[in-house]
């Protein structure tokens, strides 16, 4: 995820302080991985330097000065370009799961047991995501569906690999 583009997009609704940006980001996108304040402020500093945001005001109070940031026209153009650019699909051709299976076979470890353990972990996470999806709002349901579909694809791959394990063992050991 592009944090800078996400913060810029959040600024399109109006100027905000770094604290407000972090809170909005965490509410919408950071359920599992909230932003650190340092990450917000370093990103805002870079966006300011690049002319994508400007300081809309500075407030002083009991603590450090609080800058309020506003998106510039260049920032709006940048967000539009990012939104209009399709994400590159990831083919997962260098999968850690595949690497583990091959290494287990090469070292004559229990690859079938490793696949079973992985399958159990995938199913555990799928149950957890399904519970979260049932309790969440539409945004949470959609992000859980995205993750569940990827896990389902992984499960299909695990089943296919388990069915071909003997043949793969012969190939990798020859």
């Amino acid at each position: 995820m592009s944090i800078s583009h996400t913060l810029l997009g959040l600024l399109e609704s109006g100027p905000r302080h770094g604290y407000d940006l972090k809170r909005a980001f965490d509410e919408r996108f950071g359920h599992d991985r909230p932003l650190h304040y340092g990450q917000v402020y370093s990103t805002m500093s870079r966006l300011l330097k690049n002319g994508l945001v400007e300081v809309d005001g500075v407030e002083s109070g009991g603590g450090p000065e609080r800058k309020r940031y506003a998106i510039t026209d260049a920032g709006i153009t940048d967000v539009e370009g990012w939104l209009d650019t399709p994400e590159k699909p990831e083919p997962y051709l260098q999968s850690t799961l595949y690497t583990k299976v091959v290494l287990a076979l090469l070292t004559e470890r229990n690859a079938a047991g490793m696949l079973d353990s992985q399958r159990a972990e995938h199913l555990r996470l799928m149950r957890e995501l399904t519970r979260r999806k049932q309790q969440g709002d539409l945004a949470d349901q959609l992000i859980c569906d995205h993750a569940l579909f990827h896990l389902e694809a992984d499960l299909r791959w695990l089943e296919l690999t388990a069915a071909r394990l003997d043949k793969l063992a012969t190939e990798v050991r020859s």
Side-chain angles (χ1 to χ4, degrees):
M1 174 188 317
S2 171
I3 293 169
S4 59
H5 286 111
T6 306
L7 294 177
L8 281 172
L10 290 171
L11 281 173
E12 283 202 57
S13 65
R16 298 180 191 218
H17 297 98
Y19 173 83
D20 297 326
L21 284 167
K22 178 198 172 353
R23 194 177 68 229
F25 181 97
D26 289 351
E27 285 174 6
R28 296 278 182 198
F29 312 108
H31 292 290
D32 298 316
R33 208 178 283 182
L35 285 180
H36 297 285
Y37 284 104
Q39 194 173 12
V40 172
Y41 292 111
S42 65
T43 301
M44 296 313 296
S45 176
R46 192 171 51 255
L47 293 172
L48 185 62
K49 185 176 110 180
N50 293 334
L52 302 175
V53 298
E54 60 191 8
V55 175
D56 187 56
V58 178
E59 298 171 9
S60 54
E65 291 184 336
R66 293 181 56 195
K67 294 179 185 174
R68 188 175 54 243
Y69 299 96
I71 192 168
T72 62
D73 290 340
I76 291 170
T77 301
D78 197 58
V79 171
E80 285 175 353
W82 179 66
L83 291 173
D84 289 342
T85 303
E87 288 296 307
K88 180 181 176 190
E90 295 186 33
Y92 300 106
L93 293 177
Q94 289 298 321
S95 164
T96 303
L97 291 176
Y98 172 77
T99 302
K100 284 184 165 188
V101 169
V102 171
L103 285 176
L105 292 172
L106 285 172
T107 59
E108 299 194 20
R109 287 186 170 90
N110 183 1
M114 192 257 324
L115 288 170
D116 288 341
S117 295
Q118 190 63 53
R119 185 180 305 106
E121 182 60 18
H122 270 62
L123 291 171
R124 182 202 62 74
L125 182 55
M126 290 176 82
R127 285 189 296 276
E128 183 181 312
L129 287 168
T130 300
R131 276 191 299 277
R132 178 176 163 183
K133 178 181 162 180
Q134 291 168 345
Q135 297 167 357
D137 59 11
L138 181 58
D140 212 31
Q141 291 170 14
L142 288 171
I143 197 66
C144 287
D145 280 338
H146 186 264
L148 285 165
F149 293 149
H150 282 275
L151 290 168
E152 285 175 9
D154 283 351
L155 278 177
R156 287 194 314 267
W157 182 85
L158 290 167
E159 294 297 329
L160 179 67
T161 302
R164 295 178 174 174
L165 207 50
D166 290 338
K167 184 176 180 182
L168 182 60
T170 302
E171 286 186 19
V172 300
R173 291 178 184 151
S174 59

